[in-house]
Amino acid sequence: MLYLDKMVKIEDIIFWMIIIAIIAIALGLLKGSPPETNALISLALFITASELMLWKTLFKINKNTPIEFIKVKNDINNRFDKIENKLDKLKK
């Protein structure tokens, strides 16, 4: 899951507005309304903006992943230490 919190962010709204603009321009091209070069430039800009927003979110999530692995490793080491202490007590 990409989003960790339940609140709608301004970035989410902008992303969906860009997607709607891409669809509107594509439908306009099918109808023949806007000039082709202007529409293609707009499509390229909107698609680039949406991709940048997606990559930004993805890298934000990936940045936190190593920290979580360090926490899990620390928890596992603590558990092994407790088990070793109990085994030492049983040996005595």
Side-chain angles (χ1 to χ4, degrees):
M1 182 176 250
L2 286 180
Y3 295 105
L4 301 177
D5 54 352
K6 301 289 183 187
M7 295 180 58
V8 176
K9 298 178 187 173
I10 190 74
E11 295 169 352
D12 298 336
I13 295 169
I14 293 172
F15 175 76
W16 286 109
M17 289 174 70
I18 290 172
I19 297 298
I20 290 169
I22 291 171
I23 293 170
I25 292 172
L27 290 175
L29 272 175
L30 286 174
K31 183 180 174 186
S33 174
E36 289 180 10
T37 55
N38 293 343
L40 291 175
I41 291 171
S42 297
L43 275 174
L45 289 174
F46 286 138
I47 290 173
T48 303
S50 67
E51 288 294 317
L52 286 173
M53 291 179 77
L54 287 173
W55 281 104
K56 179 182 171 189
T57 304
L58 181 67
F59 284 125
K60 188 187 313 179
I61 291 171
N62 284 341
K63 189 169 76 173
N64 294 332
T65 303
I67 295 170
E68 295 301 320
F69 278 121
I70 290 171
K71 288 179 183 177
V72 169
K73 180 183 174 193
N74 188 24
D75 289 343
I76 290 172
N77 286 338
N78 288 340
R79 302 258 176 167
F80 278 130
D81 288 342
K82 287 180 184 179
I83 291 172
E84 285 179 8
N85 287 338
K86 287 183 181 181
L87 286 175
D88 286 342
K89 287 180 183 179
L90 285 175
K91 285 180 183 178
K92 291 180 183 180

